[in-house]
Amino acid sequence: MIRFYQAVFFGLLLTINLHGQASVRFQLSPPQVEIDSFLFFAEAKVKMYLDYPQTIIRFTTNGQPVDSNSTIYQRPLRVSQSTNLRVKAYHPHLIASEEVGLELRQLPRAEKLMEIHSLPSPDQRYPGQGLQSLSDAKKGPVNFSKEPHSWLGWQVDTLVLFLEFEEALFLRQLSFSVLEHQPSWIFSPCKIIVSFEGTTVGSWEIGDAEQTSMVSAQFLEVPLQEQDYQKLKVTIIPAVLPPGHPGQGEVAWIFMDEIIPQIKR
Amino acid sequence: MDRRKFLGLSVSGLLTKTWLDWTNDEELIIGHGDYRYTVDVNWGALNPHFFPVKDCHEMVIDQSGRIILLTNHTRNNLLIYDRSGKLLEAWGKDYPGAHGLSLQEQGGTDFLYLTDTVRHEVIKTDLKGRVIMRLPAPVETKYYDKPEEYLPTETAIARNGDIFVADGYGKQYILHYNAMGQLLNIFGGKGTAPHQFSNAHGIAVDNRHGGEEKLLITARQQNALKVFDRQGNYQETISLPGAYICRPVIHQKQIYLATIWSGEGKANSGFISILDEHNHLVSAPGGSAPRYFDGQLQKMHQALQVFKHPHDVCIDSDENIYVAQWNSGATYPIKLTRV
């Protein structure tokens, strides 16, 4: 009897192993998400698609992870407020895709809000479209080498930005759109300090950052003491490349393409 | 075999088949139209302790039908397989920047042309690795001041033995040598004009339509193939939006291209592109279905994660495709079998 069960056991192992070699389960690619503008004043239009038969795309707009009960995408979305969008593709016979997360930001108003100066100037290899493009309400693509170049880059020990508003604004927060691609030595800064007339009015510091080879764009939010501001000084401290990184110990690059003042209404 | 063992194996087979049918694991077929394929991700797998790879950059097929893989791992820069994936030979320790690999039969003998971005040169060898000729960085010209500026990614060999070299990671020039290694012409360069390139990663000689040979040159960051005559005069652009293509590989009337990234150029977003004799995209294994609107190809994207970063393809006589990948975790080539 023991021999019978032994035979069943080893037979199962062999058959499953052979079948596993014969058929590998593949994963769907992340859905494509087209947004007419990540930064918008009135509304943004969002289109999602993945060209593979029998694929279903699900999404959330509250920043919660997508699961098999989330809303099914059927037609383009119209977004009229800042939204944390998460999207995932499903298929009956394939592994579900990785989730895609995107932030859409509603801007306070259309007209130009501020002048920007930096010390030092952006690296000549990554000048973007100039410092004033940090307030042009246009997001750069995650493929930062794609022309026209949208990202401004610095590799310095300390970056200082001077923001001067056209008129005093009652602010509650500054948002900085930064890029991260660790294999290219581009990391989110580790600290941002905002000061007004020599006094710190807001700060942000990074928590534990996971190691990743993915490229991502994200907003860093720095809450401020809520009051009127005509000028602000922003001091940005870059990350240091961590142990295990090929450039370990070197200063990481800062890549930025937008600064958004959040006005308190 | 005794009766109990026989009964045990039979029961296990029946149980397993029932379970597998219930889980409905169908074999995946990728591609579109007449160009569809099954996928064997383990075709080229070897023991990495004995035959390691880093990036699998390019592949060619010799007269005997052997598949030759070029990797930048200096334990064995060249790995030679038969069509079943069995390793036949391994050699090459001197090419740390091994990137481009072309093959041409000359007088009944196959020769290989390697580019090396660390050595800054092109090297011609026989199939045993014996060096026949070297084409160093053209620092004697006004185009280059030092060898480090020259990072050749690809060669293409014309019918008469002339050699075209694409400096795809350097200054984006195309260099034209005769078969003896004498420099005849330099054209192209970095820029956005039609005759210039952003990442001239690959080059091929196109003689599909008879008459004078043309050159197909990749402009990868521009998602395009550019067509030139042999004298370096620009003729037209074949736009492939969303497709970051590597070198064009011509087989019969079709062009096959490993497409290393897609969409916005994110990591792990590659697929394969297949163009017909009219240079229209007709299939994209691993990618979205090719669609034309008003004569314009719609932007392509990856649909399935079959590939990470396909860097080259080679096509056998049965029109199966072998795919070499860059930055894919030191994986070996994949085989796509045409159905």
Side-chain angles (χ1 to χ4, degrees), chain B residues 216-234:
Chain B
L216 299 179
I217 305 174
T218 301
R220 191 161 75 181
Q221 285 298 110
Q222 296 159 316
N223 299 165
L225 272 179
K226 296 194 175 186
V227 185
F228 287 72
D229 66 19
R230 284 170 51 104
Q231 289 70 43
N233 298 307
Y234 166 79

Side-chain angles (χ1 to χ4, degrees), chain A residues 39 112 114-116 122 126-140 149-152 154 177 256-259:
Chain A
L39 307 173
K112 181 182 164 191
M114 59 185 169
E115 292 276 337
I116 303 173
Y126 302 105
Q129 300 299 308
L131 272 171
Q132 303 318 310
S133 69
L134 291 175
S135 64
D136 65 357
K138 290 179 188 164
K139 281 284 297 136
H149 299 131
S150 304
W151 295 89
L152 287 72
W154 294 263
S177 171
M256 193 182 306
D257 75 336
E258 204 69 22
I259 300 173

Side-chain angles (χ1 to χ4, degrees), chain B residues 58-63 66-71 77-80 89-92 95 100-106 109-115 121-135 154-157 163 247:
Chain B
E58 301 215 328
M59 304 174 80
V60 294
I61 294 186
D62 69 9
Q63 292 180 78
R66 301 184 311 164
I67 297 154
I68 304 172
L69 168 70
L70 182 72
T71 172
N77 285 118
L78 283 297
L79 293 168
I80 303 175
E89 274 185 62
W91 55 264
Y95 307 110
L101 182 69
S102 299
L103 180 148
Q104 194 193 42
E105 177 263 318
Q106 296 166 358
T109 303
D110 285 336
F111 293 94
L112 298 175
Y113 294 78
L114 287 70
T115 74
E121 62 180 1
V122 172
I123 308 101
K124 178 181 177 181
T125 77
D126 65 16
L127 290 191
K128 293 298 184 186
R130 192 165 54 97
V131 176
I132 308 298
M133 179 172 67
R134 291 171 51 225
L135 299 176
E154 195 63 78
T155 59
I157 319 302
I163 305 162
R247 73 154 161 187

Side-chain angles (χ1 to χ4, degrees), chain B residues 3-4 59 62 140 194 243:
Chain B
R3 190 167 50 138
R4 289 189 193 88
M59 304 174 80
D62 69 9
E140 73 281 7

Side-chain angles (χ1 to χ4, degrees), chain A residues 191-237:
Chain A
K191 194 167 184 177
I192 301 176
I193 302 163
V194 183
S195 55
F196 173 65
E197 294 182 348
T199 302
T200 297
V201 295
S203 67
W204 171 92
E205 200 159 347
I206 197 168
D208 289 331
E210 65 172 73
Q211 286 206 6
T212 172
S213 63
M214 299 297 289
V215 59
S216 64
Q218 55 185 309
F219 286 97
L220 304 181
E221 323 276 18
V222 184
L224 304 176
Q225 290 176 14
E226 295 182 3
Q227 64 182 67
D228 282 320
Y229 295 101
Q230 183 102 44
K231 291 182 183 182
L232 287 170
K233 175 182 170 185
V234 181
T235 305
I236 302 178
I237 310 297

Side-chain angles (χ1 to χ4, degrees), chain A residues 1 3-4 7-8 10-12 15-16 19 21-30 32 49-52 93-94 98 100 141-143 145-147 213-215, chain B residues 2 4-5 7-9 11-12 15-16 19-20 24-25 27-29 39 41-42 192 221 223 244 263-266 268 287-289 291 301-306:
Chain A
M1 202 58 185
R3 281 189 192 172
F4 172 79
V8 170
F10 287 114
L12 278 169
T15 313
I16 291 170
H19 179 81
Q21 287 178 15
S23 70
V24 174
R25 286 195 77 206
F26 291 97
Q27 185 178 27
L28 287 173
S29 297
Q32 302 291 304
Y49 54 92
L50 183 66
D51 188 7
Y52 193 77
H93 303 305
L94 298 169
E98 289 178 8
V100 175
V142 290
N143 179 5
S145 60
K146 194 174 174 69
E147 292 175 359
S213 63
M214 299 297 289
V215 59
Chain B
D2 69 20
R4 289 189 193 88
K5 196 180 283 185
L7 275 174
L9 288 172
V11 168
S12 73
L15 284 173
T16 308
W19 174 71
L20 291 171
N24 196 24
D25 259 343
E27 188 165 27
L28 181 71
I29 295 176
V39 182
V41 298
N42 294 316
T192 55
Q221 285 298 110
N223 299 165
Y244 290 78
E264 293 302 319
K266 285 185 183 178
N268 301 330
S288 52
R291 289 192 175 87
H301 62 270
Q302 186 194 62
L304 289 178
Q305 297 227 305
V306 174

Side-chain angles (χ1 to χ4, degrees), chain A residues 12 61 76 78 84 91 99 188 192 260:
Chain A
L12 278 169
T61 55
R78 291 190 181 275
N84 193 337
H91 189 280
E99 189 177 273
S188 292
I192 301 176
I260 303 170

